[in-house]
Amino acid sequence: MLLGKTLVELKELIDSKEISPDELFKYFMQRIKKYNPKLNAYLTLNKDVDFKNSGVLGGIPLAIKDNFCTYGLRTTASSKVLENFIPPYESTVTARLKKENAVFLGKTNMDAWAHGSSTETSDFGATKNPWDLTRVPGGSSGGTACAVSSYLAPGGIGSETAGSIRQPAAWSGVVGLKPTYGRVSRYGVIAMGSSLDCPGPLTLCVKDAALILGVIAGHDSMDATSSPRSIENYLEALKQKKSYTIGLCDDYFEGLDRDVLNAVEKSIEVFKKLGFKTKKVKLLSPQYAISVYTIIQRAEVSSNLSRYDGIRYGNDRRSFGDEAKRRIMLGTYTLSYGYYDAFYKKAQKVRTLIIEDFKRVFTEVDFVIGTPTPITALKLGEFEKYPFFGELMDKFNEPGAMAGIPGISLPVGLDRNGLPIGMQLMGSYFREADILNAAYLFEQETDYYGVIKKGIHNYE
Amino acid sequence: MNKYIPVIGLEIHVELKTKSKMFCQCRADYFAKKPNTQTCPVCLGLPGALPVPNKKAIEWVQKIGAALDCKLRPHSKFDRKHYNYPDLAKGYQISQYDEPFAVNGRVTVCNPRNKTKKSFGITRVHMEEDTAKLTHRGSGTYVNFNRSGVPLVEIVTEPDFHNADDVKMFLEELQVIIRYLDVSDADMEKGSMRMEPNISLQKITNDRSQITKKSELPNYKVEVKNINSFRFVKQAIEYEIKRQTEILEKGKTPVQETRGWDDKKNKTYSQRSKEEAQDYRYFPEPDIPPFIFEENYLDEVGVSLPELPQEKIDRYIADYKVRESDAFVLTRSRKLAEYFEKVVSISKKPQQVANLIINKKISIDLTPEKFCQKVEALLSPKVTDRKMLSETVKKTIVDNPKVVSDYKAGKKNVLMFLVGQVMKAMKGRADANLVRQQLLENIL
C-alpha cells in the first residue's frame, strides 16, 4: 500500500492520520534491512529520531548523502579518513529539513569525497544499481539515487560538483535536480570543488523535487556564496501551463549511445506536442569544459583536503584512497609556482567564456536539452579502464556546472538492456521554477514511460 | 668607515580587536581565556564549515590603510595560502595575495630629538586570519584554537630602513597610529602586535649614491622572528648587521633564512633556511566572493579617520606655538592629546599647559575644568610675604646645619633641598626664585 508513494502522497497520508511518522519510518527501516545488504545504499542508519507531524515535511523520511554533516550522526564522505567522524554541528540543508520535521533514515554511500561517477571509489564498498546488481548506480550521489529508485527512501538529498546528482539519477532512473550554484547553502557539506558544489534533491517526481527545493533553498548567512535572492514558490509554479523554447545544440548530441539519442529525440517530440518551440543554438563544445573543469576542481580538491592532515579525525593521510591521492597530486601541481598561470588562471578565463556563452544562449531560448550522460549504467569495475572516467561521463554536465546554471535529469525510457535513460533540461540562473514547470509538464504527459514505477516494483 | 649599508624592510602583524573573529561569530578576545572555549566549526576548520568575512574587520583594515596613506583598492579578494602546520586548522590560511585591501602608502615620522623627518614606503596592507596557538609542554604539544581565526592585519613596508633606530622610531609611530584608530591594542607582550624585520647588507660601491633601487637589492635576506619589544627589534637588527658584516668580510654571502631572536642571549639563531620562495600555492578563496567597493565608500573611510598624531603635531606647532618636542610627547596617545586640547580650549595657554602635563605638575586624572583651575592657581603671580620668608629662611638654615655645611663644602645641589623646605613651610606661597636668592644671601 505504501510502496512507491511520493513525498507529497506520504505527507497526505500523515496529515490524514492514515499513517504515523514512526510507522512510516519503521516501514522504510524494514525495507532497508531487507535490501540494503545487497545494494549497499546506506552506510549509517539513524536511530535517534524525533517524530513530529507538523512542518512542511513533518514525519517524511529521507536519505541523506554522507557528505552532509549531521549532528551526532556519523558523517564520512565515504572515506576512511573520516571513518569515525561524528559531526558536532548540522549542515544548513539538513538543519532546514529538520526544521520542517523531516526525519533521516540514514547516510548514503557515495564516491569517497564525491570523487567519481559510479560510487565505486567509496572506501566502504560500491553501491549497486538496483536495475542490475552487476552495474553501478552512477555517482557520486549513487547511494541516494539507489535508495530512492529501490524505494529504500521516498526521496533524498544529493550534491553535485558536475553531474553527481543528474548522472546517478539518470542511471538509477529517478528525478535529479541540480539547482543554481548559490541557491542552496553549502554550509556543512564536506567540500569537494567549492566553486561548484551544489546540494539538490533526488526524488520520484517533480512535485517532490519542488517540495524539497522550497525547504532547502534560500540565503544562508553561514555561506558567503549563497544568493540573497528570495526564493520562489516552486510548488505553486507547477500549476502554471507555460510554453517554452528549447534550445538544441548539436555538440550536446555528439557521442551518445543510440538508445540514449533516440530517447532524447523522443523527448523533444513530447515537448513539441506540449506546445514548446525548439531552436537550434550554438554553444562552446562541452569538450572544452572537461579540461577546465578538471583543473579547477582538482585545484580546489587539493586545497579542501589539506585539512585532513592526520592531526585530527583519527585517521591519517594513509587512509586516503587512490582517487583522492591522484586528485590531490594533480591539483597541487596545477597550483604550484610557475604553473598557476598556465593552468588555473587560464582555466578561470575559459570558465568566464563558458559563463558568457550560456548567458548568450539563454537570451535566445529557455532551456538547452540534452542528457546528463552519454551512455547508460556501466558494469562494476569498468571505470578503472578510464583514467578520467568521471570527467568523461559528466562531460555534458561540466559546462553547466562551471557556469553554475541549474538542470534537471528525468527518466525517459529504458535501453536495450533494460537500463534507465536520462534526459536533461538546463536553464538559466535561478530559473528553477521554470525548469520544474517544464519537467512537470513532461511528467504529466509521459509518466516517465513507467520507468520509476518499474524500478520500485523490482523491490516489492 | 662602513663598507656596507643595511637594507631593512618590515612585516608587521596587528591583531584587530573586533568583537568577533574574522570568519565566524566566535569572540575574538582570546587573551587569558580557557583554551578551546572560543571555537566553532568554522575556526576549527571542521569538514564543511565555511568562512563568512567580518565586515567590521575589513572596514578597519581599510582604515589602517588610509591612515598609512595607502590607496584603497576598489577590487579586492581573499586567497588561500597553503602550508601544513598543526596550528593551521584548514591546511591553508585565508589571506590576500595579489589584491590586498590597501597598497602604496607612506608614513612620515618626525624625530623630536634632532627635529628631522623621515618617510618610509608602505608596500601593502592586507587582511588574514590568525592561527591557533601551540604550547609545547613536556613531550606534548597542545593546540589552542581560541586564537584561530582572529583578524590579523599584515603591514609590509618597502626596504626603506638603513638603521635600527629608524626602525624603532617607525614602529613606535605605527603603534601610536593604530591605537589612535582604536582598532587594536597593538600590544607586543600580548602578541597583538608582532614584527619581523628583513635584514640584508648592501656593499657601498661609490660614496654618493646610496639610494637603494629594487633591482640593486642584495641577493639574500634574513628574516628575524619572535621579537616582542621595540628594544629587541633594535638589538636584533644591530646584532644581524654585525653578524652579516662579519660573514661578508670573509667574502661569503649570508644564508637566506629565518632566524629567531633569543632575548636571553641577545642574539639571533637559525630557525629554518628559506627556499627561494616557499610555494604557498595561492589561489582565490572560492568560499568568499570577491569585493567591489564603491568610490563613495572608500572616500568615506578616509574622511572618517581621526586626526592622526603627525597632523596633531603640525597643528600644535602652528596653532598653539607649542615646542615640537612637547607636541611629540603630547600626541603619543590619543587620549592624552585630546585631554590637552580640551584643557587648552578652556585655558588658552597651550605651552604652559603642555609643560604642566608633561612635567606631571598637575594630574591629568582631573577633569579638564579642574585642571584649568589648578593651572590658573599655579600660573598666577606669587605674592610673597617678605617678612615671613625672611624668618622661615633663617629658621631653615638653623634647623639644617649639616646641609648648610655640605653646601659650603661645595655640594651645590643640596640648595634645592633647602628651597624645598622653605617652600613647604611657606605652604607654597612664595616665589621659588626669591626663596633661592634669600637662602644664598643668608648662607654666605
Side-chain angles (χ1 to χ4, degrees):
Chain A
M1 166 229 159
L2 288 174
L3 188 72
K5 291 264 186 277
T6 66
L7 300 182
V8 173
E9 290 164 349
L10 290 173
K11 186 66 187 129
E12 280 165 11
L13 292 178
I14 291 170
D15 288 347
S16 62
K17 305 249 187 320
E18 282 175 63
I19 190 160
S20 70
D22 60 323
E23 280 168 353
L24 192 58
F25 192 80
K26 276 189 201 121
Y27 169 82
F28 282 102
M29 277 298 169
Q30 274 162 7
R31 290 183 59 80
I32 291 166
K33 289 214 172 77
K34 188 172 172 191
Y35 294 114
N36 195 57
K38 61 176 178 182
L39 291 170
N40 197 30
Y42 288 90
L43 295 178
T44 308
L45 295 179
N46 196 8
K47 291 184 182 74
D48 184 23
V49 184
D50 193 13
F51 298 107
K52 285 196 189 105
N53 291 14
S54 58
V56 174
L57 297 169
I60 294 290
L62 295 172
I64 308 292
K65 190 179 180 180
D66 206 28
N67 56 348
F68 288 80
C69 284
T70 40
Y71 180 85
L73 185 59
R74 188 176 79 128
T75 300
T76 68
S78 286
S79 169
K80 282 251 195 260
V81 174
L82 291 178
E83 197 172 8
N84 304 306
F85 178 59
I86 297 172
Y89 79 110
E90 191 81 47
S91 78
T92 296
V93 165
T94 51
R96 287 181 177 179
L97 292 169
K98 277 185 177 176
K99 196 165 164 258
E100 296 299 335
N101 294 322
V103 290
F104 304 153
L105 292 161
K107 305 300 286 292
T108 55
N109 201 12
M110 53 188 279
D111 285 287
W113 307 109
H115 297 169
S117 302
S118 68
T119 317
E120 288 171 286
T121 69
S122 167
D123 287 342
F124 306 110
T127 296
K128 311 289 165 36
N129 189 316
W131 291 80
D132 177 349
L133 296 180
T134 68
R135 293 179 188 270
V136 298
S140 63
S141 310
T144 298
C146 169
V148 176
S149 83
S150 59
Y151 210 58
L152 302 191
I157 297 293
S159 70
E160 258 209 43
T161 305
S164 277
I165 290 172
R166 287 170 283 177
Q167 185 258 15
W171 282 10
S172 300
V174 294
V175 174
L177 173 70
K178 185 259 180 206
T180 307
Y181 178 80
R183 180 71 297 178
V184 180
S185 169
R186 294 183 293 119
Y187 186 75
V189 186
I190 297 176
M192 204 263 258
S194 309
S195 70
L196 301 148
D197 292 347
C198 195
L202 289 105
T203 56
L204 298 170
C205 67
V206 171
K207 254 190 189 173
D208 287 0
L211 176 69
I212 291 187
L213 184 65
V215 172
I216 63 176
H219 182 248
D220 177 14
S221 62
M222 302 298 279
D223 178 357
T225 63
S226 80
S227 171
R229 196 184 164 115
S230 61
I231 66 165
E232 288 164 77
N233 187 329
Y234 301 110
L235 280 170
E236 262 325 289
L238 303 186
K239 291 179 182 161
Q240 301 162 12
K241 278 223 161 27
K242 285 197 188 173
S243 174
Y244 298 100
T245 306
I246 292 183
L248 309 173
C249 174
D250 286 343
D251 287 318
Y252 282 75
F253 294 96
E254 219 165 78
L256 303 195
D257 171 271
R258 65 171 198 277
D259 289 355
V260 175
L261 182 64
N262 287 339
V264 175
E265 282 176 342
K266 200 168 82 186
S267 305
I268 296 168
E269 294 311 312
V270 172
F271 282 120
K272 280 184 180 163
K273 201 180 140 203
L274 286 166
F276 287 30
K277 292 184 191 73
T278 59
K279 188 181 175 188
K280 282 260 183 196
V281 291
K282 278 296 282 168
L283 273 166
L284 286 172
S285 165
Q287 213 63 36
Y288 296 113
I290 299 176
S291 34
V292 172
Y293 169 72
T294 305
I295 286 165
I296 286 174
Q297 182 249 82
R298 297 296 196 273
E300 292 179 1
V301 162
S302 74
S303 174
N304 286 332
L305 294 184
S306 52
R307 70 186 61 192
Y308 308 105
D309 54 7
I311 292 171
R312 300 179 290 165
Y313 313 113
N315 291 334
D316 69 16
R317 294 183 218 212
R318 278 170 298 187
S319 307
F320 275 119
D322 288 344
E323 182 61 21
K325 285 179 189 165
R326 275 194 288 267
R327 293 191 184 203
I328 291 168
M329 283 190 282
L330 184 58
T332 302
Y333 175 74
T334 58
L335 289 178
S336 295
Y337 186 77
Y339 295 96
Y340 177 84
D341 285 354
F343 295 115
Y344 189 86
K345 209 165 184 182
K346 192 180 264 179
Q348 283 292 25
K349 284 180 184 166
V350 181
R351 185 179 194 170
T352 305
L353 296 179
I354 293 171
I355 292 169
E356 295 306 322
D357 195 38
F358 275 116
K359 281 187 176 165
R360 177 188 53 79
V361 160
F362 286 125
T363 61
E364 299 172 27
V365 295
D366 296 299
F367 310 116
V368 172
I369 194 168
T371 172
T373 162
I375 53 173
T376 52
L378 283 171
K379 291 267 187 193
L380 284 156
E382 268 190 281
F383 85 102
E384 293 192 48
K385 294 178 195 161
Y386 306 84
F388 285 93
F389 169 73
E391 284 62 35
L392 295 170
M393 282 305 110
D394 288 325
K395 118 178 176 181
F396 296 122
N397 301 315
E398 282 150 10
M402 295 308 304
I405 57 169
I408 197 165
S409 174
L410 305 171
V412 287
L414 300 176
D415 76 350
R416 54 198 170 276
N417 298 315
L419 298 168
I421 297 168
M423 171 273 287
Q424 83 159 316
L425 289 178
M426 292 183 285
S428 191
Y429 298 95
F430 303 102
R431 294 281 299 274
E432 284 84 0
D434 288 312
I435 290 174
L436 288 164
N437 186 250
Y440 187 61
L441 294 172
F442 183 88
E443 177 183 293
Q444 285 180 310
E445 183 67 25
T446 64
D447 195 26
Y448 308 121
Y449 309 100
V451 170
I452 291 177
K453 289 201 173 72
K454 185 168 189 297
I456 290 168
H457 284 278
N458 289 334
Y459 294 83
E460 286 282 357
Chain B
M1 176 66 196
N2 281 333
K3 286 162 76 178
Y4 304 98
I5 183 159
V7 179
I8 306 162
L10 306 171
E11 275 174 33
I12 302 112
H13 284 94
V14 175
E15 261 179 2
L16 298 182
K17 58 175 184 184
T18 45
K19 213 174 205 166
S20 54
K21 290 186 181 182
M22 188 60 223
F23 298 113
C24 60
Q25 295 298 309
C26 289
R27 284 187 63 92
D29 173 23
Y30 62 88
F31 191 73
K33 295 287 184 335
K34 192 166 176 268
N36 296 311
T37 54
Q38 296 185 167
T39 62
C40 75
V42 177
C43 56
L44 288 171
L46 291 190
L50 298 172
V52 176
N54 181 334
K55 272 192 189 150
K56 191 96 209 161
I58 293 172
E59 199 184 303
W60 284 6
V61 70
Q62 288 172 323
K63 261 190 171 178
I64 293 176
L68 304 183
D69 209 13
C70 290
K71 180 186 173 333
L72 302 183
R73 292 183 54 102
H75 289 258
S76 192
K77 66 177 167 70
F78 281 107
D79 298 277
R80 292 184 181 180
K81 175 183 180 178
H82 299 85
Y83 63 93
N84 280 106
Y85 207 65
D87 66 4
L88 198 57
K90 302 184 292 295
Y92 57 84
Q93 180 188 34
I94 303 177
S95 181
Q96 295 193 286
Y97 182 53
D98 53 352
E99 293 182 17
F101 286 121
V103 292
N104 297 336
R106 185 150 285 280
V107 172
T108 304
V109 187
C110 85
N111 183 340
R113 283 171 287 277
N114 56 18
K115 296 191 177 178
T116 53
K117 276 191 181 186
K118 282 188 180 172
S119 120
F120 307 99
I122 302 292
T123 315
R124 56 187 281 157
V125 180
H126 78 242
M127 184 85 248
E128 55 190 37
E129 53 176 342
D130 212 341
T131 59
K133 196 167 165 51
L134 298 182
T135 311
H136 307 282
R137 224 181 299 141
S139 60
T141 296
Y142 297 79
V143 193
N144 178 0
F145 286 94
N146 284 352
R147 196 180 70 180
S148 173
V150 168
L152 195 61
V153 175
E154 182 171 319
I155 300 162
V156 182
T157 76
E158 290 293 300
D160 284 353
F161 301 88
H162 303 299
N163 63 66
D165 284 323
D166 283 358
V167 169
K168 185 164 174 280
M169 200 173 69
F170 168 84
L171 288 171
E172 283 166 348
E173 182 72 16
L174 184 66
Q175 185 186 47
V176 171
I177 292 173
I178 285 164
R179 287 178 175 171
Y180 260 62
L181 301 176
D182 201 24
V183 296
S184 170
D185 296 332
D187 184 327
M188 252 162 317
E189 270 177 37
K190 284 187 189 169
S192 57
M193 179 167 172
R194 300 164 219 162
M195 56 236 163
E196 288 141 29
N198 283 290
I199 307 146
S200 47
L201 297 186
Q202 172 125 359
K203 207 169 161 72
I204 297 174
T205 43
N206 54 48
D207 46 356
R208 277 271 161 211
S209 65
Q210 279 317 320
I211 301 121
T212 39
K213 293 192 193 99
K214 274 204 169 160
S215 58
E216 291 167 9
L217 289 180
N219 58 357
Y220 75 94
K221 69 182 175 187
V222 175
E223 186 177 65
V224 186
K225 285 187 185 273
N226 317 348
I227 305 176
N228 62 0
S229 84
F230 293 134
R231 192 160 57 90
F232 293 151
V233 179
K234 187 165 176 295
Q235 289 175 0
I237 291 172
E238 280 162 358
Y239 178 86
E240 269 305 302
I241 291 172
K242 198 166 143 262
R243 187 184 72 86
Q244 292 178 24
T245 304
E246 282 164 14
I247 294 169
L248 290 162
E249 280 298 274
K250 288 179 197 153
K252 292 177 185 163
T253 306
V255 181
Q256 170 124 340
E257 63 180 344
T258 300
R259 296 176 72 86
W261 171 248
D262 184 333
D263 58 18
K264 294 189 182 69
K265 293 183 185 157
N266 276 345
K267 58 201 274 187
T268 65
Y269 60 92
S270 182
Q271 280 189 321
R272 62 185 156 93
S273 75
K274 263 193 164 174
E275 308 89 88
E276 277 305 296
Q278 196 174 346
D279 193 348
Y280 292 119
R281 305 193 310 279
Y282 282 102
F283 83 103
E285 167 58 277
D287 289 332
I288 304 172
F291 302 93
I292 298 166
F293 300 105
E294 306 260 333
E295 212 179 303
N296 287 350
Y297 165 81
L298 293 178
D299 290 346
E300 191 51 42
V301 174
V303 171
S304 72
L305 288 181
E307 188 180 28
L308 294 171
Q310 195 57 52
E311 293 165 337
K312 281 195 190 290
I313 290 176
D314 293 344
R315 182 163 63 87
Y316 291 1
I317 295 169
D319 295 1
Y320 296 164
K321 316 288 181 223
V322 167
R323 277 191 297 274
E324 184 175 348
S325 56
D326 291 344
F328 182 81
V329 174
L330 289 168
T331 53
R332 293 306 87 192
S333 108
R334 186 173 165 186
K335 210 180 125 208
L336 181 65
E338 284 172 356
Y339 186 84
F340 167 71
E341 288 168 25
K342 195 85 192 281
V343 173
V344 168
S345 75
I346 306 169
S347 91
K348 319 281 182 206
K349 296 188 178 83
Q351 184 60 59
Q352 281 105 321
V353 169
N355 293 346
L356 291 167
I357 291 178
I358 293 167
N359 301 330
K360 300 194 169 76
K361 287 281 182 190
I362 304 174
S363 167
I364 57 167
D365 294 334
L366 297 171
T367 62
E369 290 75 20
K370 282 241 169 75
F371 191 101
C372 287
Q373 287 167 14
K374 291 235 170 188
V375 171
E376 292 313 312
L378 269 177
L379 295 184
S380 58
K382 295 275 185 297
V383 184
T384 313
D385 183 335
R386 290 259 175 183
K387 188 164 167 256
M388 189 181 165
L389 176 63
S390 164
E391 280 162 16
T392 312
V393 165
K394 278 174 188 147
K395 187 172 182 296
T396 305
I397 290 171
V398 173
D399 289 351
N400 295 284
K402 173 87 173 62
V403 182
V404 173
S405 63
D406 279 354
Y407 181 81
K408 285 180 174 162
K411 287 194 183 170
K412 297 294 179 201
N413 54 353
V414 300
L415 186 66
M416 283 318 288
F417 173 77
L418 295 172
V419 172
Q421 292 298 306
V422 174
M423 290 299 278
K424 205 170 145 193
M426 297 282 293
K427 297 204 167 89
R429 282 192 292 271
D431 182 83
N433 278 327
L434 199 60
V435 173
R436 193 183 140 87
Q437 198 187 322
Q438 292 259 321
L439 275 167
L440 287 173
E441 280 170 13
N442 280 283
I443 290 170
L444 294 172

